[in-house]
Amino acid sequence: MKKKTLYMIGNSHIDPVWFWDWDEGMQEVKATFASALDRMREFPEVKFTSTSAAFFEWIETVAPDMFAEIRERVKEGRWELTGGWFIEPDCILPCGEAFVRQGLYGQRYFQKKFGVSCRTASNVDSFGHNSMLPQILQKSGMQEYVFMRPRLDTPVFVWESADGSRVNAISLPSEYTTWFYEPTKEAAEMAQAAMDRALLPSMVCCYGVGNHGGGPTKENILAVQRLREEKPELSLPFGTYREFFDSLSEEEKKRLPVRRDYFDRINTGCYSMDGRLKRTNRRIEGRLLTADSMLAMEHLFLGTEAEQKEKDIMRSLWKTLLFCQFHDTLGGTAIKPARDEAVSQLSGAGAEAKKLWVLSMQHMMAQMDTEGEGFPLLLFNPTGQDHDGPVATELNWFCKDGLILRDPDGREIPYQRVHTTAKARNYNIGGRRGIVFDAHVPALGFAVYRTLIGESELCSDGRRTSEEAESGFEPEAAVLENGYLRVAFNEKGYLCSLYDKQSGYEALNGPVTFPVWKDERDTWGGDQGREFGPTGEELRPVSLRLVEEGSMRKVVRAVFRLGGSVLKQEYILYHDAKQVEVVNHLFWDREWQMLKAEFPLTVQKAVAFREGAYETVRTETMDGQEYSMHRFVDITEMGSRNAQKRSCGEGFLVANDGKYAFSMEGSRLCIPIARSAIYAQGNGKNWYNPLEGYEYTDMGKQEFIFLLRPHGAALSAHERFRLAEAAAKPLLFTTDCRHAGKRRLVRWQGIHIPEDNVELGCVKAAEDGREWILRLFETEGKRTAGTILLNGKELRYEIGAYEILTLSVSEDGTCRKVNLLEQ
């Protein structure tokens, strides 16, 4: 009888950041790789498996001789490169483009430095895995995937994305880390049991010291050799993931179960852990996408090619973001000094991105002829969809002069004066002018408005002044209303009604409250038998004030307090909007507690549509536990119309600019807005010692934005993504002086995508050559043939249902389909 085989995978999952900062992580990588090479010299049959292009970049820089030896081991087939990504990130929370860049930079690095592409992806320790990964992996040159969380009853299976892309996957049946003989034996027995359950002739079993590095030790290797004697029924070669997958016959691969899972809800506390870090991540993702777009806009407008220096800078900035999306960093489970360093690195990348797009704006403006009456006010739109709606901006304007505003066609347009950010009052010299107006700005383009000195009959002054203290409830603040939406507060100051006037649908079934929960869970969300539940306390309203009211918008400020914690909310309803914007300023001072925004909804049988990585995830079963989201969650009624006139499609969407968690508790949508857990605190006996002293996340100030959209009919995916973009406020503004130029344009459009079910993921310069890369993704499950206008040139394309499509566009306007590696 042929022996069954356990491929013993020598590895070391390395956390470059966790209970240490990245500089210590660099040292642990160097020490681990040195140890692995030593073991290979001592034991000629031993092999080693590793991930993360970032680690090899470090070694190439600080230990070039070691790097050269690793290259030789790769050629010999004894050092297996897996992963194919820059780092092992959180696989739930980053945006779709971040996952694409992981493979783009990781795989191209391995190709360039080692002459190989990774076929097997590996994220053994990440806290869940999004359902778009099979497509992203396959289009990045990978056919297999290895992970450990969650541990499934189908250890080897086919994982399929919604578009039909498939990878063969392993859910490791045992830990990736074994220190001594007994853990190595236990891991082998777990792998053997999983192999028998799956009716497979082979399985993988990892051994080696990990997390803080180490790799296969002599004791590990001797343990494997001892197990060969103790388990004669098994073959236990030192092997690789590649050897395991190649050992499966085509017939065995055909029999593998197929799964289409979104593997989230693992370490769910990480979705709400450290709100400021999460919002910084979201903001920097947006800034890097904006910089890519603005560089593309500049060169398309000027007819020039991207400079290699710009490409190199953008690649470096993206790598900084990707490194800070490591699962223990973005998940919020690292120590505070490492977390603070990540915030610094992310902020630096965001600042450098802004430098690039400001220069792009200036380069375009230098070629424009801006002479004429008044002064140019330029609005740039870095997104793939036209902006049609309100714009709020500030101008430097002499305090005693009136202001007239004209659109690009020279027509005077109405605007509303609003309060400025600067709080100095100028009555004789200088001055700032805050204004709100409606604007049309083409996609990936710009529009030139003009400001003139003079008194405008179309201006309304929405500013209010008051000498009263911030307390009490003003009746005129109780209702905000336009032709589409009615927003109402009750006599106590709670938001109690969000009424869709077009359909006659009321989204709320009671007041929106801010309950406080006792949250003694650990960093990851493990309860350890400690308290997690309502305290019976909540932030209570202390004032409701009308702040602004004019022709363009009305603003109401609600203030809530509990002890020293204060939440100030500005509800902004624009005259032609179907959603209300809520700008939140929170000061939180409650240790080991969670603050929630709780929306009691009228939906009964609901489904959640939540944004994931280049996808919308549909979730039908919600049990009060926390789920992940990106920029929106849409709770929608799925029942048919009944006696209470409940209608399929009725619901309530919340878009946001930095939150990642929600739960449905009955018909109440709950969004954690502060979670004061202890940094890097995990399970363990008698871990709590007050003499040590502890630091808690989310203490102090934070800001975030909600867009609240009740809807009496189902929203399209297109509408959801538009609201997500609106929450991020992507428009860029600048003023210019009057000057001559080569091009007299008042508006310019870089891209037009007519199909509502197709979104622009990114536009960027190609890594090689002079082409431009367009990344599109389909949102409604419809195969589509369409035409894009890029700088006036028609590009025909076909995109599959839920496909991520990458097009390489040449200077003459021809385009070809490429993979995510731009190959």
Side-chain angles (χ1 to χ4, degrees):
M1 182 178 177
K2 185 178 179 181
K3 291 183 177 182
K4 290 189 173 184
T5 302
L6 286 186
Y7 291 95
M8 302 303 292
I9 311 295
N11 82 110
S12 181
H13 166 68
I14 300 176
D15 292 324
V17 173
W18 188 25
F19 295 160
W20 45 85
D21 204 348
W22 71 268
D23 53 334
E24 187 173 336
M26 177 187 286
Q27 175 57 33
E28 78 190 40
V29 168
K30 186 173 72 171
T32 299
F33 285 8
S35 176
L37 291 170
D38 287 343
R39 301 294 82 75
M40 288 180 170
R41 297 186 202 101
E42 296 165 356
F43 300 91
E45 65 173 324
V46 164
K47 299 176 181 179
F48 184 66
T49 291
S50 61
T51 70
S52 303
F55 297 168
F56 293 92
E57 285 190 356
W58 282 347
I59 298 302
E60 184 181 14
T61 301
V62 303
D65 291 342
M66 183 189 299
F67 186 78
E69 187 175 357
I70 292 172
R71 293 181 66 178
E72 291 303 312
R73 297 302 187 206
V74 171
K75 289 179 182 178
E76 294 171 1
R78 296 182 62 199
W79 190 301
E80 181 186 31
L81 299 174
T82 64
W85 281 5
F86 188 68
I87 204 76
E88 293 185 36
D90 185 289
C91 290
I92 296 292
L93 303 178
C95 70
E97 186 61 21
F99 288 107
V100 172
R101 301 298 176 105
Q102 289 280 0
L104 176 66
Y105 302 135
Q107 285 283 57
R108 289 173 71 95
Y109 178 82
F110 289 130
Q111 290 170 356
K112 180 178 179 181
K113 300 297 182 178
F114 296 94
V116 300
S117 294
C118 296
R119 288 175 56 189
T120 304
S122 177
N123 290 297
V124 295
D125 199 37
S126 297
F127 311 148
H129 311 269
N130 73 77
S131 55
M132 193 57 84
L133 285 186
Q135 182 179 175
I136 292 172
L137 295 172
Q138 190 186 86
K139 291 187 174 182
S140 301
M142 288 173 270
Q143 291 85 46
E144 297 102 20
Y145 190 52
V146 179
F147 63 92
M148 189 184 71
R149 308 174 195 275
R151 191 166 290 158
L152 304 174
D153 56 2
T154 54
V156 184
F157 62 98
V158 176
W159 191 19
E160 183 178 83
S161 286
D163 73 309
S165 297
R166 290 183 168 191
V167 294
N168 294 326
I170 303 174
S171 168
L172 291 176
S174 59
E175 292 287 333
Y176 53 75
T177 294
T178 63
W179 286 72
F180 309 111
Y181 166 75
E182 287 298 333
T184 305
K185 179 182 178 182
E186 182 182 1
E189 290 173 346
M190 292 174 68
Q192 183 178 4
M195 175 172 56
D196 293 341
R197 288 197 312 272
L199 303 177
L200 290 173
S202 57
M203 185 57 67
V204 298
C205 178
C206 294
Y207 73 95
V209 179
N211 288 347
H212 197 265
T217 65
K218 290 182 181 180
E219 185 170 352
N220 286 151
I221 295 166
L222 294 175
V224 174
Q225 292 175 340
R226 176 179 168 184
L227 287 171
R228 287 173 177 171
E229 298 176 0
E230 296 176 356
K231 294 182 175 293
E233 76 278 11
L234 292 177
S235 173
L236 295 168
F238 294 104
T240 63
Y241 291 125
R242 173 82 279 116
E243 290 174 305
F244 164 73
F245 282 113
D246 287 346
S247 75
L248 298 178
S249 68
E250 290 303 314
E251 187 60 32
E252 287 163 345
K253 290 178 181 178
K254 289 179 182 178
R255 292 201 304 265
L256 294 176
V258 178
R259 303 188 65 146
R260 296 184 68 179
D261 297 76
Y262 188 96
F263 295 117
D264 68 339
R265 301 184 63 206
I266 300 157
N267 296 342
T268 56
C270 294
Y271 305 154
S272 55
M273 185 69 179
D274 199 343
R276 284 188 289 271
L277 171 66
K278 296 288 196 296
R279 189 169 187 254
T280 300
N281 173 74
R282 180 83 59 79
R283 184 168 55 89
I284 304 312
E285 286 178 336
R287 282 191 164 216
L288 296 190
L289 288 166
T290 294
D292 272 328
S293 293
M294 292 302 296
L295 286 169
M297 188 191 305
E298 172 196 346
H299 293 293
L300 288 171
F301 177 67
L302 299 179
T304 56
E305 63 178 290
E307 299 177 4
Q308 188 60 47
K309 180 181 178 181
E310 295 171 342
K311 296 182 183 181
D312 293 343
I313 292 174
M314 285 306 307
R315 188 182 307 113
S316 176
L317 298 182
W318 272 102
K319 285 181 177 181
T320 297
L321 171 67
L322 300 183
F323 185 80
C324 293
Q325 290 180 334
F326 180 71
H327 53 266
D328 280 311
T329 308
L330 184 55
T333 60
I335 58 173
K336 189 174 184 296
R339 172 266 192 197
D340 291 345
E341 179 66 19
V343 171
S344 296
Q345 291 182 6
L346 288 168
S347 300
E352 291 301 312
K354 182 174 181 178
K355 289 180 183 178
L356 289 174
W357 84 58
V358 167
L359 288 176
S360 288
M361 293 161 66
Q362 289 292 333
H363 292 157
M364 285 186 276
M365 288 157 54
Q367 297 299 312
M368 297 181 201
D369 184 343
T370 60
E371 291 184 335
E373 191 177 7
F375 303 94
L377 169 63
L378 293 96
L379 281 58
F380 291 86
N381 179 5
T383 76
Q385 295 291 332
D386 293 354
H387 173 90
D388 284 291
V391 171
T393 188
E394 287 190 13
L395 307 169
N396 206 54
W397 201 255
F398 184 53
C399 58
K400 293 186 177 181
D401 284 339
L403 172 67
I404 294 172
L405 184 63
R406 289 182 180 170
D407 68 12
D409 297 316
R411 295 186 295 261
E412 184 179 354
I413 59 173
Y415 67 91
Q416 178 181 323
R417 284 198 66 177
V418 298
H419 296 289
T420 58
T421 306
K423 300 309 176 185
R425 298 290 188 256
N426 293 291
Y427 297 99
N428 294 300
I429 59 172
R432 298 286 289 172
R433 192 69 53 92
I435 60 173
V436 175
F437 60 98
D438 282 335
H440 170 80
V441 190
L444 200 69
F446 61 79
V448 183
Y449 287 72
R450 299 192 79 88
T451 56
L452 294 79
I453 297 173
E455 298 300 325
S456 173
E457 295 182 357
L458 303 181
C459 167
S460 65
D461 192 343
R463 300 169 299 167
R464 298 188 76 229
T465 59
S466 174
E467 297 179 358
E468 298 177 31
E470 192 178 76
S471 63
F473 303 91
E474 296 180 344
E476 59 265 46
V479 177
L480 298 87
E481 189 168 6
N482 62 20
Y484 298 101
L485 182 62
R486 185 177 188 272
V487 182
F489 298 81
N490 65 19
E491 67 281 358
K492 294 182 178 180
Y494 291 102
L495 175 67
C496 64
S497 176
L498 288 167
Y499 184 70
D500 179 351
K501 295 171 67 173
Q502 288 185 301
S503 62
Y505 172 67
E506 173 59 63
L508 297 183
N509 192 32
V512 175
T513 57
F514 302 95
V516 177
W517 281 39
K518 188 72 174 178
D519 187 356
E520 295 184 349
R521 298 176 299 167
D522 67 19
T523 301
W524 290 261
D527 60 20
Q528 309 175 81
R530 302 187 72 91
E531 288 188 56
F532 180 57
T535 64
E537 295 183 296
E538 65 176 49
L539 270 67
R540 296 190 179 277
V542 294
S543 69
L544 187 70
R545 293 281 177 171
L546 180 61
V547 176
E548 295 175 9
E549 185 173 26
S551 61
M552 306 302 297
R553 73 181 191 186
K554 182 176 180 179
V555 181
V556 167
R557 181 181 296 130
V559 179
F560 298 79
R561 292 183 183 272
L562 175 64
S565 294
V566 182
L567 174 64
K568 294 183 179 181
Q569 295 186 300
E570 292 187 350
Y571 287 80
I572 305 172
L573 183 63
Y574 291 95
H575 73 108
D576 204 27
K578 297 179 181 180
Q579 69 281 344
V580 61
E581 178 180 345
V582 188
V583 180
N584 300 274
H585 304 268
L586 174 65
F587 182 87
W588 183 241
D589 71 346
R590 314 273 289 191
E591 295 178 353
W592 247 2
Q593 296 188 2
M594 173 183 280
L595 177 64
K596 296 186 178 185
E598 188 171 291
F599 301 87
L601 304 181
T602 56
V603 295
Q604 295 176 357
K605 184 180 179 182
V607 62
F609 296 94
R610 49 188 171 124
E611 187 188 24
Y614 278 153
E615 65 176 331
T616 300
V617 181
R618 176 180 169 134
T619 304
E620 295 190 13
T621 303
M622 291 168 286
D623 52 7
Q625 301 300 309
E626 290 177 1
Y627 288 78
S628 64
M629 65 173 175
H630 284 190
R631 298 177 299 171
F632 65 74
V633 59
D634 182 9
I635 307 298
T636 298
E637 183 76 40
M638 297 309 293
S640 58
R641 185 174 292 277
N642 59 28
Q644 286 77 39
K645 295 185 179 181
R646 306 239 42 83
S647 179
C648 183
E650 295 175 342
F652 176 65
L653 177 143
V654 179
N656 74 88
D657 71 338
K659 299 300 178 185
Y660 287 86
F662 77 96
S663 63
M664 280 295 292
E665 298 164 17
S667 292
R668 302 188 311 278
L669 171 63
C670 301
I671 299 178
I673 58 177
R675 181 183 178 226
S676 49
I678 296 173
Y679 284 98
Q681 177 262 309
N683 291 305
K685 281 187 177 181
N686 303 317
W687 67 266
Y688 184 75
N689 178 4
L691 295 180
E692 288 188 47
Y694 297 99
E695 292 193 83
Y696 296 80
T697 60
D698 284 356
M699 302 297 284
K701 295 180 180 179
Q702 60 167 300
E703 298 178 1
F704 54 95
I705 290 173
F706 286 154
L707 296 185
L708 310 181
R709 170 76 156 91
H711 53 87
L715 294 182
S716 67
H718 182 73
E719 290 175 280
R720 296 188 189 112
F721 282 103
R722 294 291 70 72
L723 288 165
E725 285 184 353
K729 299 187 177 299
L731 289 189
L732 307 174
F733 316 94
T734 189
T735 56
D736 197 7
C737 55
R738 294 187 293 256
H739 58 79
K742 296 179 180 179
R743 305 184 69 174
R744 181 72 178 181
L745 290 173
V746 293
R747 61 171 63 87
W748 180 79
Q749 180 151 17
I751 197 169
H752 176 59
I753 305 174
E755 292 75 27
D756 282 349
N757 63 314
V758 178
E759 298 289 331
L760 178 66
C762 84
V763 54
K764 63 179 288 288
E767 295 298 303
D768 302 318
R770 305 174 66 177
E771 288 81 17
W772 295 99
I773 297 296
L774 295 182
R775 189 117 50 234
L776 311 172
F777 63 102
E778 200 281 324
T779 61
E780 295 181 358
K782 300 187 297 187
R783 179 174 292 276
T784 301
T787 301
I788 295 172
L789 286 177
L790 184 67
N791 198 15
K793 296 177 181 177
E794 288 191 356
L795 308 177
R796 299 188 182 278
Y797 71 95
E798 291 186 4
I799 189 169
Y802 301 118
E803 181 183 4
I804 302 169
L805 175 66
T806 305
L807 300 175
S808 179
V809 184
S810 62
E811 289 179 289
D812 62 6
T814 59
C815 70
R816 59 191 174 94
K817 183 176 179 178
V818 295
N819 65 15
L820 296 180
L821 307 183
E822 302 177 12
Q823 297 167 347

